């Protein structure tokens, strides 16, 4: 088992070091994401985190790179770092409503009430008939026991 993880780490390191332009290509990015995911599943969270973070720096608007970072940071309770990358992700996506909804659960954890209210107001005003977006937001609010916010939306 140790030999396999050592080989995986060496393989990833050689890919990253040999051709830094390879990360810029979508296929290489997907391959590196799969390798990082494999490391994470095998309990090598620190190594996976480093890879995900490097990819995030190269692709800060990519949800594929943000999501695993978010999961690792939540599991390790690194809230300040999670706040930092969440803000970078939102900014890289030009504060789009879609990216705000994708990180909505993290904003609840971070207790960013002003941002939460802003997103809810924007969602209600711009997309009052979009049931899919509303369901996503309501589900995240209910999962975090934010009943008062759910009632605001429903009224």
């Amino acid at each position: 088992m140790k030999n396999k993880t050592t080989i995986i780490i060496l393989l990833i390191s050689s890919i990253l070091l040999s051709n830094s332009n390879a990360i810029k290509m979508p296929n290489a990015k997907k391959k590196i994401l799969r390798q990082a995911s494999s490391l994470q599943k095998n309990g090598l969270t620190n190594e996976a985190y480093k890879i995900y973070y490097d990819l995030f720096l190269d692709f800060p608007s990519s949800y594929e790179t943000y999501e695993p970072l978010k999961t690792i940071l939540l599991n390790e309770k690194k809230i300040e770092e999670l706040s930092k990358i969440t803000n970078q992700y939102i900014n890289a996506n030009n504060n789009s409503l879609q990216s705000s909804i994708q990180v909505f659960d993290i904003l609840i954890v971070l207790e960013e009430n002003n941002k939460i209210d802003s997103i809810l107001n924007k969602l209600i005003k711009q997309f009052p008939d979009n049931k899919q977006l509303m369901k996503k937001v309501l589900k995240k609010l209910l999962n975090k026991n934010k009943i008062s916010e759910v009632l605001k939306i429903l009224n």
Side-chain angles (χ1 to χ4, degrees), residues 58-119:
D58 288 337
F59 303 97
S61 63
S62 169
Y63 191 70
E64 291 175 309
T65 58
Y66 170 79
E67 178 66 22
L69 269 178
K70 173 182 91 168
T71 302
I72 290 171
L73 293 173
L74 270 175
N75 289 340
E76 294 185 5
K77 299 185 184 353
K78 294 184 176 179
I79 302 302
E80 282 185 36
E81 195 167 344
L82 179 59
S83 176
K84 181 180 135 187
I85 69 155
T86 297
N87 286 325
Q88 285 177 305
Y89 176 74
I90 292 171
N91 290 336
N93 283 290
N94 298 319
N95 294 312
S96 73
L97 185 59
Q98 183 65 30
S99 65
S100 297
I101 290 171
Q102 289 172 333
V103 301
F104 195 75
D105 56 333
I106 300 305
L107 296 176
I108 294 169
V109 169
L110 297 173
E111 298 180 356
E112 297 275 354
N113 294 327
N114 290 337
K115 287 183 182 179
I116 292 169
D117 289 341
S118 173
I119 293 166

Side-chain angles (χ1 to χ4, degrees), residues 20 25 47 49 56 64 68 81 89 97 110 121 138 152 155:
S20 62
M25 297 185 303
E47 290 81 358
Y49 170 80
F56 179 75
E64 291 175 309
E81 195 167 344
Y89 176 74
L97 185 59
L110 297 173
N121 289 332
L138 290 172
K152 273 191 233 177
N155 290 330

